[in-house]
Amino acid sequence: MIKYRKQLLKGSIADDVKQKIFDIANTYGYEIIAMETEKDHIHFLLSYDTIDRVCDIVKIVKQETTYYLWHKYGSLLSKQYWKKKIFWSDGYFACSIGEVSSATIQKYIESQG
């Protein structure tokens, strides 16, 4: 979720965030199965190695996308936030799909936005 629930994930920012997350996934060996943005948050279904920890994946995604967005949209973001290098809120929600099929989760994510 975006810090202070600001509705910034639209247009080119949303497209750039998604592309950056795909780039991160390729770099670290994760597979993005589905991803969609809302105006103030993002959903993605991710396949990753069991030795990786979700908290580390989230940390990488938040850090790298924040740095990228401030580099590209610094003038816009400086009007939204009083402190530099802020974009995402501190928390996140993650769950494993367990008994629900990945197709069901993928359909849910793709219906967002």
Side-chain angles (χ1 to χ4, degrees), residues 1-31:
M1 185 171 315
I2 295 180
K3 190 79 166 179
Y4 311 123
R5 295 193 70 108
K6 292 187 179 279
Q7 297 189 357
L8 298 173
L9 280 180
K10 50 191 172 189
S12 62
I13 293 178
D15 293 339
D16 286 345
V17 164
K18 287 194 273 188
Q19 185 57 55
K20 184 62 179 174
I21 293 172
F22 276 116
D23 294 344
I24 292 165
N26 287 334
T27 299
Y28 289 90
Y30 312 139
E31 179 187 357

Side-chain angles (χ1 to χ4, degrees), residues 1 11 13 25 45 51 63 66 73 81 90 95 103-104 106 109:
M1 185 171 315
I13 293 178
L45 177 58
I51 63 169
Q63 285 177 338
T66 298
Y73 298 100
Y81 299 107
D90 293 337
C95 68
T104 301
Q106 184 174 352
I109 290 171

Side-chain angles (χ1 to χ4, degrees), residues 54-65:
V54 172
C55 62
D56 294 333
I57 295 169
V58 171
K59 180 180 177 182
I60 290 165
V61 168
K62 285 185 173 188
Q63 285 177 338
E64 292 192 21
T65 56

